[in-house]
């Protein structure tokens, strides 16, 4: 009996130490779980059970228990009953983690959308895609490529896959529970959408990439030389910790901050612009704040990405989520169907032209695909690159939007291809090179 008591005491001590050491992380864990479920249920139309079983089945987050409150359109999470966090849904702005600063009466405006109907076939319009038979496309090989993408489902965890060739939908496939209309969280693919807003403003003659970042707090210190270009290329020299495994700059920003545009702005410079390359979600959200500065009203800021880009090219399923302060979380939070993510890729394949209208300058594509110093040829301006052959069996002109857990929009200009893949695993579990090689080899 004494031995049993000692064992129980030892177990309690061990549990106590584990909880003590990890207690600060519980805020992040329960915050992630609540936010993910609230968005999945109310933005994507997924079930609470599916979100908990699949999307929150990641290390540590799987410890959270999450429940949905239909009446309040919210989701709340705890870890063993500790550190309750709640995310609420706001129509048009997505879900947001709330805190003591949250006051729903302070943000009542919503982006105004324009869901125009047309008879133009997908991807350029809302009508059904054409049944296209293109002699240079080997459909047997395309089907083999799909098989490769969905092979080993417990490892690769592919959910959706779509191929556009010369603006024609030649293949798409979805696992059970997903279809052509299911919104998918793009995670960091959102960065490329946010960057495109700056390309559009440049096309409109309203700003230039070499302009100093309009941050009043920087004008009298060594950050005054940081430009929009430096922020878009992640080479500002500002301190930033992009570590998702613990409490870091990025996790504090995403799961604790009311205004996500502030944290990077407050960081010190640890190098001069262009001296280092340091991937930073904080830089993207700072850019979201700078984007807001370009408009006279908050309403104009909320409307701009939809008016100038998203609704203009028919990405009607897309929702950009905003923080408590009403800033778009450009680093991480946008949802769109696989078909709509492909529209975004097609816009870039066509160098900014959509149904005859120039959305952004053709040269913008050259800009975002120019390799950034110190990135080893893997990064341009909020887009990823294959310039140095990261994917050795794929053309080097490939560029892409990449997101956590293997969300991808690949654009391969030399092959007239746009390939979208979404899922719950990235490299090395999902073999990008092998899958893309199979697609490329099908085009003769």
């Amino acid at each position: 009996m004494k031995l049993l008591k000692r064992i129980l005491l030892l177990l309690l001590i061990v549990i106590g130490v584990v909880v003590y050491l990890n207690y600060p992380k519980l805020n992040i864990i329960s915050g992630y779980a609540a936010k993910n479920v609230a968005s999945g249920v109310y933005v994507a139309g997924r079930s609470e059970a599916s979100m908990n079983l699949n999307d929150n089945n990641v290390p540590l987050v799987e410890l959270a228990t999450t429940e949905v409150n239909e009446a309040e359109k919210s989701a709340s999470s705890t870890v063993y009953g500790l550190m309750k966090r709640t995310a609420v849904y706001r129509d048009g702005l997505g879900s947001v983690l709330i805190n003591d600063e949250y006051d729903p009466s302070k943000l009542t405006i919503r982006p105004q959308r324009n869901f125009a109907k047309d008879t133009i076939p997908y991807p350029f319009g809302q009508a059904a895609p054409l049944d296209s038979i293109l002699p240079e496309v080997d459909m047997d090989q395309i089907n083999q490529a799909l098989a490769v993408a969905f092979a080993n489902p417990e490892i690769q965890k592919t959910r959706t896959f779509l191929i556009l060739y010369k603006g024609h939908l030649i293949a798409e496939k979805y696992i059970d529970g997903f279809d052509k209309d299911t919104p998918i969280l793009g995670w960091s693919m959102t960065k490329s959408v946010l960057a495109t807003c700056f390309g559009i403003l440049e096309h409109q003659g309203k700003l230039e990439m070499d302009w100093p970042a309009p941050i009043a707090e920087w004008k009298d210190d060594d950050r005054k030389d940081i430009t929009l270009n430096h922020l878009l290329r992640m080479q500002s020299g500002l301190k930033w910790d992009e570590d998702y495994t613990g409490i870091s700059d990025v996790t504090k920003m995403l799961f604790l901050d009311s205004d996500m545009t502030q944290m990077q702005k407050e960081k010190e410079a640890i190098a001069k612009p262009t001296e280092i390359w340091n991937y930073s979600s904080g830089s993207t959200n700072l850019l979201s704040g700078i984007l807001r500065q370009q408009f006279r009203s908050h309403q104009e800021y909320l409307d701009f990405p939809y008016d100038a880009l998203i609704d203009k090219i028919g990405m009607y399923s897309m929702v950009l989520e905003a923080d408590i302060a009403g800033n778009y979380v450009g680093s991480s939070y946008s949802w769109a169907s696989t078909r709509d993510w492909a529209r975004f890729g097609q816009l870039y394949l066509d160098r900014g032209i959509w149904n005859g209208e120039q959305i952004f300058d053709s040269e913008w594509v050259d800009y975002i695909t120019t390799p950034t110093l110190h990135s080893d040829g893997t990064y341009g301006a909020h887009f990823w690159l294959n310039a140095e052959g990261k994917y050795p069996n794929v053309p080097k002109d490939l560029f892409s939007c990449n997101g956590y857990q293997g969300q991808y929009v690949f654009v391969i200009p030399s092959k007239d291809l746009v390939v979208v893949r979404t899922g719950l695993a990235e490299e090395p579990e999902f073999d990008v090179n092998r899958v893309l090689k199979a697609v490329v080899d099908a085009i003769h």
Side-chain angles (χ1 to χ4, degrees), residues 116-180:
K117 293 183 179 180
D118 60 53
T119 58
I120 303 171
Y122 174 82
F124 302 104
Q126 300 302 313
L130 297 173
D131 291 328
S132 302
I133 299 176
L134 303 173
E136 65 269 40
V137 179
D138 186 326
M139 288 307 300
D140 288 337
Q141 284 191 260
I142 288 292
N143 290 328
Q144 290 177 23
L146 290 175
V148 172
F150 285 88
N152 301 314
E154 295 302 315
I155 297 174
Q156 292 206 123
K157 299 182 180 180
T158 297
R159 285 176 156 175
T160 75
F161 200 85
L162 183 150
I163 305 170
L164 294 178
Y165 172 66
K166 291 185 176 180
H168 296 265
L169 177 63
I170 60 172
E172 62 184 333
K173 184 175 180 179
Y174 304 88
I175 65 169
D176 289 344
F178 293 80
D179 60 30
K180 65 182 178 62

Side-chain angles (χ1 to χ4, degrees), residues 86-284:
T86 298
V88 299
Y89 172 73
R90 305 154 301 168
D91 185 45
L93 294 174
S95 297
V96 66
L97 275 171
I98 63 174
N99 55 29
D100 293 339
E101 299 176 2
Y102 177 68
D103 181 352
S105 67
K106 290 183 177 180
L107 182 56
T108 58
I109 60 174
R110 300 292 184 261
Q112 301 174 26
R113 303 293 301 266
N114 178 24
F115 301 127
K117 293 183 179 180
D118 60 53
T119 58
I120 303 171
Y122 174 82
F124 302 104
Q126 300 302 313
L130 297 173
D131 291 328
S132 302
I133 299 176
L134 303 173
E136 65 269 40
V137 179
D138 186 326
M139 288 307 300
D140 288 337
Q141 284 191 260
I142 288 292
N143 290 328
Q144 290 177 23
L146 290 175
V148 172
F150 285 88
N152 301 314
E154 295 302 315
I155 297 174
Q156 292 206 123
K157 299 182 180 180
T158 297
R159 285 176 156 175
T160 75
F161 200 85
L162 183 150
I163 305 170
L164 294 178
Y165 172 66
K166 291 185 176 180
H168 296 265
L169 177 63
I170 60 172
E172 62 184 333
K173 184 175 180 179
Y174 304 88
I175 65 169
D176 289 344
F178 293 80
D179 60 30
K180 65 182 178 62
D181 300 314
T182 306
I184 305 290
L185 175 57
W187 288 108
S188 286
M189 295 203 298
T190 314
K191 291 180 170 69
S192 302
V193 176
L194 188 281
T196 304
C197 291
F198 281 83
I200 293 170
L201 286 175
E202 182 183 55
H203 174 63
Q204 295 174 351
K206 295 178 179 177
L207 52 72
E208 296 179 12
M209 294 308 109
D210 61 357
W211 282 5
I215 308 297
E217 295 88 335
W218 294 358
K219 64 184 179 64
D220 294 322
D221 63 32
D222 53 2
R223 299 173 293 181
K224 65 181 180 299
D225 295 326
I226 297 172
T227 66
L228 298 177
N229 174 60
H230 296 140
L231 292 170
L232 284 164
R233 293 189 175 280
M234 306 292 187
Q235 56 174 188
S236 67
L238 295 173
K239 186 177 182 180
W240 186 262
D241 181 13
E242 188 90 4
D243 178 9
Y244 290 88
T245 63
I247 299 173
S248 66
D249 292 334
V250 69
T251 55
K252 286 189 289 186
M253 177 186 69
L254 290 177
F255 304 113
L256 298 176
D257 284 359
S258 298
D259 184 342
M260 299 188 197
T261 70
Q262 296 299 308
M263 184 176 286
Q264 180 72 98
K265 182 170 70 174
E266 297 165 357
K267 293 293 183 179
E268 65 177 327
I270 58 175
K272 293 180 180 179
T274 74
E275 284 187 346
I276 62 173
W277 180 79
N278 184 31
Y279 187 81
S280 165
S281 289
S283 290
T284 308

